[in-house]
Amino acid sequence: MALYSETVMDHFRHPRNVGIIENPDGVGEVGNPICGDIMKIYLKIENDVIVDAKFETFGCGSAIASSSMATELIKGRPVSEAMELTNKAVAEALGGLPAHKLHCSVLAEEGIRSALLDYHKRYNLPYDEEKFALLHHDEEDFSDEA
Amino acid sequence: MIYADNAATTKPSQKVIEAMVACLSEDYGNPSSVYTLGQRAAELLQNARERVAKNLGCDPSEITFTSGGSEADNQAIRTAAFLGAQKGKKHLISTPFEHHAVLHTLNKLEREGFEVTYLDVHENGLVTAEQVAQAIRPDTALVSIMFANNEIGTIQPVGEIGAVCREKGVLFHCDSVQAIGHVPVNVYDLKIDFLALSAHKFHGPKGVGVLYTKKGIRLQNLIEGGAQERGKRAGTENVPGIVGMAVAMDDAIANLDKQATYVAPLRDKLIDGLSKIPHSILNGDRTQRLPGNVNFCFEGIEGESLLLLLDNEGICASSGSACTSGSLDPSHVLLSIGRPPEIAHGSLRLTISEDTTHEEVDTLIKAVTEAVEYLRSISPVWRNLQEGKQDFIIQ
Ligand SMILES: Cc1ncc(COP(=O)(O)O)c(C=O)c1O
Ligand SMILES: [Zn+2]
């Protein structure tokens, strides 16, 4: 059996939305080089709708595929909907991820959330602190380390 | 397909397969049985033992067949620790970049009250005999240092270390799993007391190996049971595996010169080609290394995605990135030679063999160069480095 599903490999080999956005409305960078995955998400937002999303990722196959899928899932969606994107939805859309790779999809969720926080701050928009509280996600559930 | 992961395992030769199949289909008797079929198996076993011993430069009675390198490492260290403890010696010397079969056994002994000194392996991945001499204490029970490192391929001055240990009366275990069949090894000349080897690293089968134990050392069992292997390793012998190992070892030792005359120059060509990638660095000493080992770090990328891209091109390789190990930490070997974690994540190991061709090496250089370039083009770290927001670690 392959390590990753066909969908993961498709998004890894042909990632959607790779790159940067000039004059973005929100940018989020999550992860750190010490543990091996870094994701940077760029958003273009018009009338509270995400009209474009791009990413750059330093990371494993799961991280690259998760960034690709997460940006696909939020493109064309209202900000309020993008706020609700979960790592579970990303992993499911990818046809599942190996247990020890779920944390990479968490990173994608956090990347989007972090870019949205940046958007709210840039434009002085009111926001619910609690919605961004997960930026220190409890990863315990996602690790299968023995 | 290009198989460039010979340090992980090797392809069994046709000769090995045929010998094993003959053993499985015809000589299937139990070597402990008295009838002819059983005794035929016992003969095969004895014959294999003699050939393995000859190749190592020792006596057949000093050979114990095991389930592989890991078991041999465990048994050697456990034996030395047991014998040492009997004399009140509970200090061990090793390095931080041993295989986990050694490291995890040492960690367990630490929890059982032993003290372990881990010698600095320096940026080039080498220890010196002087370091060993300085670390030896009156209560040192064992020095366990690998012959050649499985990730970065560095070859230790084993003869000098053996001489120091013999002179100071300390047992010396040498995990030689990566060395056998690739460089000359003679346990007598090198003054080795315990040696571990594994058949699948030199075109033999998996799940079979050897523990050489110098005569006079009372080996301690890991597995209790029947009287096989002089009572030191119970369990009906893996006759087909052992026969296959002997065939593979004879072949590997007979062709050792090819490692130096063909494989090593090919390795150097690969190293030269990959060195042209900007901000890349070779891991491990350039000359004191296994003939087939190439290991690089590329700044700004992560290793697993590199492996997946290479797999796409039909290339089998390996990496020390955390994401390939299932843990969050990158390779302990790369960390031990001082590579920072963010660099260690971007490592690639290519291990070639005498079956690798010049054309394959050209393809490897091209494929790796392109994959690294692509991954950098989508990496936010690389962008920061390019834009000067972050300093390069690898110049
Ligand atoms: C240096 C070293 N020691 C020990 C082992 C373990 O050998 P085996 O897989 O036969 O248990 C390996 C194999 O990966 C190795 O490279
Ligand atoms: Zn990852």
Side-chain angles (χ1 to χ4, degrees):
Chain A
M1 207 193 79
L3 173 61
Y4 292 126
S5 74
E6 267 309 305
T7 317
V8 173
M9 284 313 291
D10 178 41
H11 276 261
F12 169 72
R13 290 188 188 120
H14 313 287
R16 283 57 147 182
N17 314 311
V18 174
I20 63 169
I21 294 175
E22 302 289 346
N23 309 314
D25 298 302
V27 178
E29 185 168 336
V30 290
N32 77 66
I34 310 287
C35 36
D37 286 323
I38 301 178
M39 230 173 254
K40 194 160 181 180
I41 307 277
Y42 300 81
L43 300 177
K44 190 88 203 149
I45 297 170
E46 282 168 17
N47 303 322
D48 251 16
V49 171
I50 298 171
V51 294
D52 199 9
K54 293 239 187 279
F55 78 89
E56 285 181 318
T57 292
F58 162 101
C60 63
S62 169
I64 291 172
S66 294
S67 337
S68 168
M69 182 56 87
T71 47
E72 278 291 270
L73 290 174
I74 58 161
K75 256 170 67 171
R77 304 268 155 204
V79 167
S80 58
E81 267 183 45
M83 286 289 298
E84 304 302 324
L85 180 79
T86 64
N87 85 287
K88 215 168 149 242
V90 174
E92 269 168 21
L94 285 170
L97 285 169
H100 68 282
K101 291 290 183 178
L102 277 169
H103 69 95
C104 315
S105 63
V106 173
L107 212 56
E109 172 190 329
E110 289 180 356
I112 304 274
R113 204 73 55 109
S114 157
L116 289 170
L117 177 61
D118 180 53
Y119 163 68
H120 283 89
K121 285 182 174 165
R122 275 179 201 230
Y123 295 99
N124 284 319
L125 303 170
Y127 62 89
D128 181 357
E129 294 263 0
E130 291 224 332
K131 292 234 164 181
F132 296 102
L134 85 150
L135 285 177
H136 36 85
H137 217 280
D138 178 8
E139 282 204 21
E140 237 162 79
D141 303 356
F142 304 104
S143 132
D144 68 343
E145 257 193 86
Chain B
M1 189 190 82
I2 299 179
Y3 188 71
D5 203 13
N6 286 278
T9 196
T10 56
K11 181 180 175 175
S13 73
Q14 205 49 42
K15 231 161 114 186
V16 166
I17 294 169
E18 281 161 20
M20 292 180 72
V21 169
C23 192
L24 280 164
S25 51
E26 289 148 40
D27 304 310
Y28 55 83
N30 187 321
S32 303
S33 304
V34 293
Y35 42 77
T36 311
L37 184 71
Q39 285 311 298
R40 170 81 193 122
E43 271 168 40
L44 287 174
L45 204 59
Q46 181 56 19
N47 175 271
R49 197 182 306 281
E50 283 165 12
R51 288 154 71 190
V52 168
K54 187 159 178 284
N55 284 325
L56 291 176
C58 69
D59 192 82
S61 66
E62 296 173 308
I63 297 295
T64 306
F65 292 123
T66 67
S67 65
S70 299
E71 184 186 336
D73 280 331
N74 273 257
Q75 193 166 8
I77 296 167
R78 281 281 167 192
T79 293
F82 175 84
L83 297 174
Q86 281 190 328
K87 296 186 216 152
K89 297 180 172 184
K90 299 188 82 172
H91 175 239
L92 311 165
I93 297 169
S94 191
T95 75
F97 74 172
E98 297 294 310
H99 189 271
H100 283 136
V102 169
L103 282 186
H104 289 172
T105 306
L106 294 175
N107 293 155
K108 237 177 168 174
L109 286 167
E110 284 178 287
R111 291 198 289 277
E112 292 169 20
F114 284 80
E115 188 190 333
V116 184
T117 300
Y118 296 95
L119 302 176
D120 184 358
V121 294
H122 306 105
E123 214 236 338
N124 63 356
L126 293 172
V127 295
T128 63
E130 294 77 67
Q131 281 177 278
V132 176
Q134 275 165 20
I136 290 177
R137 314 191 309 211
D139 65 337
T140 304
L142 174 74
V143 170
S144 180
I145 295 178
M146 69 202 312
F147 206 116
N149 186 273
N150 47 304
E151 288 188 33
I152 60 174
T154 50
I155 298 174
Q156 304 305 327
V158 174
E160 293 170 27
I161 295 170
V164 163
C165 293
R166 193 63 56 86
E167 187 201 315
K168 304 233 180 192
V170 176
L171 292 175
F172 174 37
H173 167 51
C174 190
D175 174 345
S176 307
V177 170
Q178 293 287 339
I180 299 291
H182 302 275
V183 291
V185 179
N186 180 299
V187 291
Y188 182 81
D189 292 345
L190 299 172
K191 300 187 168 59
I192 295 171
D193 296 309
F194 300 96
L195 175 143
L197 69 86
S198 181
H200 73 106
K201 307 293 186 181
F202 48 84
H203 304 287
K206 293 163 187 59
V208 57
V210 164
L211 171 58
Y212 153 80
T213 313
K214 190 174 183 295
K215 213 170 280 180
I217 299 172
R218 206 155 28 86
L219 203 55
Q220 300 299 303
N221 287 52
L222 293 182
I223 301 174
E224 305 290 350
Q228 293 90 353
E229 299 301 292
R230 306 175 315 287
K232 299 305 181 190
R233 203 285 186 179
T236 302
E237 302 86 343
N238 175 6
V239 185
I242 291 165
V243 166
M245 170 165 63
V247 171
M249 200 171 175
D250 280 350
D251 254 9
I253 305 287
N255 291 306
L256 260 189
D257 59 324
K258 235 184 144 183
Q259 294 287 328
T261 58
Y262 177 74
V263 184
L266 206 52
R267 168 203 68 192
D268 291 338
K269 173 177 169 173
L270 186 49
I271 291 176
D272 289 340
L274 296 180
S275 298
K276 297 209 175 83
I277 297 176
H279 304 285
S280 65
I281 192 165
L282 178 72
N283 294 311
D285 195 80
R286 169 90 203 219
T287 53
Q288 289 299 105
R289 71 188 300 133
L290 287 170
N293 179 287
V294 175
N295 190 314
F296 270 87
C297 282
F298 303 108
E299 189 153 12
I301 64 151
E302 192 277 334
E304 190 210 74
S305 44
L306 180 56
L307 295 187
L308 292 171
L309 288 176
L310 293 177
D311 185 34
N312 238 4
E313 305 295 316
I315 294 167
C316 308
S318 111
S319 165
S321 96
C323 270
T324 59
S325 68
S327 84
L328 285 177
D329 298 317
S331 148
H332 69 285
V333 174
L334 296 174
L335 297 180
S336 77
I337 61 165
R339 297 283 181 254
E342 56 268 48
I343 293 301
H345 285 299
S347 80
L348 175 72
R349 180 186 73 181
L350 298 168
T351 42
I352 59 172
S353 80
E354 58 286 356
D355 298 331
T356 310
T357 65
H358 277 274
E359 293 70 45
E360 286 179 329
V361 165
D362 292 335
T363 308
L364 287 172
I365 294 169
K366 185 163 175 285
V368 173
T369 305
E370 286 172 5
V372 169
E373 229 165 73
Y374 166 71
L375 289 172
R376 282 175 172 172
S377 78
I378 70 168
S379 162
V381 176
W382 186 249
R383 177 180 299 283
N384 284 343
L385 291 164
Q386 289 287 296
E387 292 176 354
K389 290 182 187 147
Q390 197 175 316
D391 291 332
F392 281 103
I393 296 173
I394 304 173
Q395 292 314 314

